[in-house]
Amino acid sequence: MREARTQIAKPTQRPLHQRIMRRLQKHWQLVIVTIPFAWLLLFFLAPFLIVAKISLAELAIASPPFTKMIEWTDNGIMTIRVVFDNFTYILEDDLYLNTYLNSLKISVTSTILCLLFGYPVAYAIVRSGPVAKPILLFCIILPFWTSFLLRVYAWMGLLADQGTINNVLLAMGVIDEPIRMLYTEFAVYIGIVYTYMPFMILPLYANMEKLDGSLNEAAADLGSRATNTFFKVTLPLTMPGIVAGCLLVFIPATGEYVIPDLLGGGNVQMIGRVLYNEFSRNSDWPVAAAVAIVLLLLLVIPMMVFQYYQGKASEES
Amino acid sequence: MQAKRSRFLTVMLTLGLAFFYVPMILLVVYSFNYSKIVPVWGGWSLRWYKELFESREVWSAVSLSLQIAVVNATFATILGSLAGLAMVRFGRFKGRTLFGGMIVAPLVMPEVITGLSLLVFFITLNQLFGWPSERGFATITIAHITFSMAYVAVTIQARLTGMGQDLEEAAADLGAKPFKVLTAITLPRLTPALISGWLLAFTLSLDDLVIASFVTGPGANTLPILIFSRIRVGLRPDINALATMIILVIALCVAVAAILMFRQQRADQRDRKMAEGEEH
């Protein structure tokens, strides 16, 4: 109390750094919120709004290569110009439409494959002993940390015409000439399932770990067969894990660029790759921006469902 | 769930682990292959490692990537933990919904969109203010901080909720001011989460290709950009050697992080047991 009084009496006599520290102590909560908030507004929201703006402009021979949204004429009249041509162009053009559909086909199929193979693996880990469990979990997480690019590269070595799989099959006499696997859609599926599998297994594991085993026992005591118990008890209870895992695979897989480029070559069209090429080679910014916005619109519902589950999960814990 | 593992599950688990590890093991084995054509075996050799260590291009990419990763991890940990603190401990404040949304959004945003919008943003900034006149270290670092801080924030949020507020409330009851509670109680207890957050941000940065390729400029090649430009053409034995080195380094980092997290979990369990014991 005494300290506070002296401060009021002679506020100018305190050295600057002490005054700053006092200020900071008084408003520290505000500072803590403001710094990350400002960063995200500047480097996340603002860039995104600029892209949205460009998607409503026209291509122009200028730097940057698009028309201005707001222009002032000489007599002080402001004109706002918004065109939806880029969007109608994308939706009427077969190339873009097919690419969107193909991306969705590939990401949905890979998500289902991840679920089919990931579910039993997650279930097996949950049912492992107390010693094996953390080790197995670590084995699932480890590839998730090793470079994404290198995991894709590893499959290039396996799938190539002169790659390991073909070499083994040739040596065993199963085939007479190499099967073409690299630079096909098949390779893209393998790549996506391989790299995104941990995203499926981990949420499933987290969900199954919390399940009450006595429900299964009760079902068994009441004469339910194992398959019946699985479909009536286990599967419905693990639904939150399934939803989270599927979204974590589906969302990034739809916009994937590296896998279709390295494993699909030029033969597999996915929207992430088209977007990248559109922007870097053709430098048609307005169309590229519109392609990005449409991709985001495709993913916005799955993203919101994910956020909803994320929020619910953090409230529960 | 302590029931026994059925045979089907054991088979699936084995297949799953084989699916994960066989490609990586082959990648490592072929890095010691003398032959220039990767999948054709030409005897054991360290030839590609020698070539790798002598390549100036590789070293400058490694150095750039490490610099970006360290700066990124440090800033992302600071910003991410501030964001996590604000979300968990400050109750409701103005703009909390927007803030929460912006924290989670970079986690689910497709990389191509994040990269594209940041590039457009940097070009716009340059035209308006003359900065950044050159894209490279600074622009990549800013881009990486923006998405890694989201991962750190989520980690910290989970840790803060898991920790509970009992100790902080006790300190406040004993007369500690909120700022003192933060520095004397909350931050020390967060340390393991801060370290694992830092490591997470560090590896995320080292791993990123797409966003970095968008926001980089001529001459500034990070390691993933260099690797990508080489393997686009096909298999290369020197990349196998490089991959082996990277896997080794990352495995070490993950092991450290795992040990830290495991210890933390045990400490949590102990705290919880003690708290329960006092109640009964």
Side-chain angles (χ1 to χ4, degrees):
Chain A
M1 231 17 225
R2 206 196 315 149
E3 253 189 42
R5 213 173 295 143
T6 47
Q7 197 210 0
I8 295 162
K10 302 179 237 169
T12 44
Q13 283 181 2
R14 282 191 174 275
L16 183 68
H17 68 272
Q18 271 194 21
R19 269 186 289 152
I20 291 173
M21 275 311 287
R22 290 211 152 245
R23 271 276 161 88
L24 206 66
Q25 287 197 2
K26 218 172 146 195
H27 300 289
W28 61 278
Q29 284 203 330
L30 192 67
V31 174
I32 284 180
V33 181
T34 309
I35 297 170
F37 207 172
W39 182 282
L40 286 170
L41 282 177
L42 184 61
F43 294 117
F44 183 74
L45 198 61
F48 181 67
L49 292 179
I50 295 175
V51 170
K53 196 198 95 169
I54 295 174
S55 75
L56 298 172
E58 282 173 301
L59 187 65
I61 303 168
S63 172
F66 53 87
T67 54
K68 284 179 182 157
M69 186 188 253
I70 299 168
E71 257 175 324
W72 295 89
T73 46
D74 293 337
N75 40 16
I77 298 167
M78 187 181 80
T79 52
I80 298 178
R81 200 148 65 136
V82 170
V83 287
F84 290 96
D85 289 6
N86 304 313
F87 290 96
T88 47
Y89 169 63
I90 291 171
L91 297 176
E92 279 165 9
D93 189 290
D94 277 351
L95 169 76
Y96 288 108
L97 208 59
N98 288 337
T99 311
Y100 277 116
L101 292 176
N102 203 38
S103 304
L104 283 179
K105 185 192 89 185
I106 291 176
S107 59
V108 167
T109 316
S110 325
T111 307
I112 295 169
L113 288 171
C114 277
L115 181 63
L116 284 180
F117 292 106
Y119 197 95
V121 174
Y123 205 59
I125 299 173
V126 171
R127 293 211 162 183
S128 301
V131 181
K133 202 186 274 183
I135 297 171
L136 287 171
L137 208 56
F138 182 75
C139 288
I140 300 295
I141 297 173
L142 190 63
F144 169 70
W145 287 80
T146 48
S147 164
F148 172 80
L149 193 54
L150 295 175
R151 276 181 288 155
V152 178
Y153 176 68
W155 277 99
M156 288 176 70
L158 280 163
L159 297 172
D161 287 353
Q162 289 187 314
T164 316
I165 293 177
N166 272 322
N167 284 351
V168 169
L169 290 178
L170 282 170
M172 281 165 61
V174 181
I175 49 170
D176 296 325
E177 50 186 76
I179 314 168
R180 185 141 187 90
M181 287 181 286
L182 187 60
Y183 306 133
T184 63
E185 208 162 87
F186 170 72
V188 175
Y189 280 121
I190 294 241
I192 293 180
V193 172
Y194 185 67
T195 44
Y196 288 108
M197 187 67 98
F199 289 97
M200 180 64 83
I201 294 179
L202 293 175
L204 278 173
Y205 169 82
N207 178 256
M208 290 171 179
E209 179 73 354
K210 284 185 284 186
L211 284 192
D212 189 356
S214 56
L215 281 175
N216 279 17
E217 280 166 29
D221 287 349
L222 293 169
S224 167
R225 268 179 307 163
T227 39
N228 191 39
T229 312
F230 176 76
F231 284 108
K232 291 260 167 69
V233 179
T234 314
L235 198 62
L237 283 173
T238 48
M239 222 43 190
I242 295 177
V243 173
C246 285
L247 291 173
L248 277 177
V249 175
F250 171 77
I251 295 168
T254 310
E256 185 54 53
Y257 164 71
V258 178
I259 297 172
D261 198 76
L262 285 179
L263 296 178
N267 305 321
V268 182
Q269 289 300 320
M270 283 185 78
I271 201 67
R273 190 163 176 271
V274 169
L275 177 59
Y276 188 93
N277 294 340
E278 190 76 45
F279 195 81
S280 56
R281 289 187 205 142
N282 307 343
S283 70
D284 187 339
W285 287 25
V287 168
V291 170
I293 299 289
V294 174
L295 171 60
L296 202 63
L297 288 177
L298 277 179
L299 296 176
V300 83
I301 293 170
M303 280 174 168
M304 279 162 70
V305 174
F306 179 73
Q307 283 211 4
Y308 172 76
Y309 270 90
Q310 184 90 350
K312 226 169 68 166
S314 70
E315 267 167 34
E316 274 168 12
S317 69
Chain B
M1 305 231 343
Q2 283 304 322
K4 257 190 83 182
R5 213 161 66 193
S6 71
R7 187 171 295 164
F8 168 71
L9 288 180
T10 311
V11 170
M12 286 306 283
L13 184 63
T14 318
L15 282 179
L17 288 176
F19 179 61
F20 275 143
Y21 283 96
V22 169
M24 301 309 277
I25 292 168
L26 285 173
L27 183 73
V28 172
V29 169
Y30 278 113
S31 73
F32 299 105
N33 181 7
Y34 183 81
S35 163
K36 204 178 170 80
I37 305 158
V38 176
V40 178
W41 190 252
W44 297 92
S45 142
L46 288 175
R47 173 184 174 188
W48 305 111
Y49 287 89
K50 189 168 168 281
E51 200 158 285
L52 192 68
F53 282 104
E54 282 166 359
S55 161
R56 183 170 289 192
E57 227 185 340
V58 169
W59 279 112
S60 75
V62 168
S63 142
L64 179 68
S65 275
L66 284 177
Q67 285 173 41
I68 291 172
V70 168
V71 177
N72 159 64
T74 310
F75 278 89
T77 307
I78 295 170
L79 289 168
S81 44
L82 292 183
L85 262 177
M87 285 304 288
V88 180
R89 288 288 192 262
F90 290 1
R92 309 239 152 247
F93 55 87
K94 237 186 200 171
R96 190 179 186 273
T97 318
L98 174 68
F99 189 52
M102 282 198 302
I103 292 175
V104 191
L107 301 179
V108 283
M109 188 68 106
E111 285 172 316
V112 275
I113 298 182
T114 312
L116 175 84
S117 48
L118 276 165
L119 172 59
V120 168
F121 175 73
F122 286 132
I123 293 173
T124 314
L125 267 193
N126 183 30
Q127 270 158 357
L128 291 176
F129 306 108
W131 185 90
S133 56
E134 232 173 49
R135 287 191 299 277
F137 176 79
T139 50
I140 299 173
T141 311
I142 288 174
H144 282 184
I145 293 170
T146 309
F147 80 84
S148 344
M149 72 177 272
Y151 285 85
V152 178
V154 171
T155 316
I156 298 289
Q157 258 175 289
R159 176 78 192 115
L160 279 172
T161 1
M163 245 161 47
Q165 252 171 309
D166 304 352
L167 274 179
E168 282 147 69
E169 275 161 15
D173 287 346
L174 293 171
K177 296 217 178 74
F179 190 72
K180 182 78 184 168
V181 175
L182 178 75
T183 49
I185 309 281
T186 315
L187 281 183
R189 293 190 76 203
L190 268 183
T191 312
L194 290 174
I195 296 172
S196 46
W198 193 94
L199 286 171
L200 179 62
F202 182 79
T203 36
L204 281 171
S205 167
L206 280 187
D207 205 17
D208 168 65
L209 165 73
V210 177
I211 294 171
S213 336
F214 268 105
V215 299
T216 190
N221 281 340
T222 63
L223 195 55
I225 294 177
L226 178 85
I227 295 174
F228 185 64
S229 69
R230 289 190 180 183
I231 61 179
R232 262 189 121 169
V233 196
L235 301 164
R236 290 183 51 136
D238 55 335
I239 297 297
N240 282 60
L242 185 56
T244 308
M245 301 300 298
I246 293 174
I247 291 169
L248 197 71
V249 172
I250 292 176
L252 281 175
C253 286
V254 173
V256 172
I259 290 169
L260 280 172
M261 259 148 64
F262 184 63
R263 276 196 190 161
Q264 189 56 47
Q265 248 176 6
R266 281 220 304 222
D268 275 2
Q269 278 168 0
R270 218 171 37 227
D271 284 358
R272 216 166 290 150
K273 266 186 197 148
M274 275 170 70
E276 276 167 10
E278 277 158 22
E279 274 165 27
H280 293 304

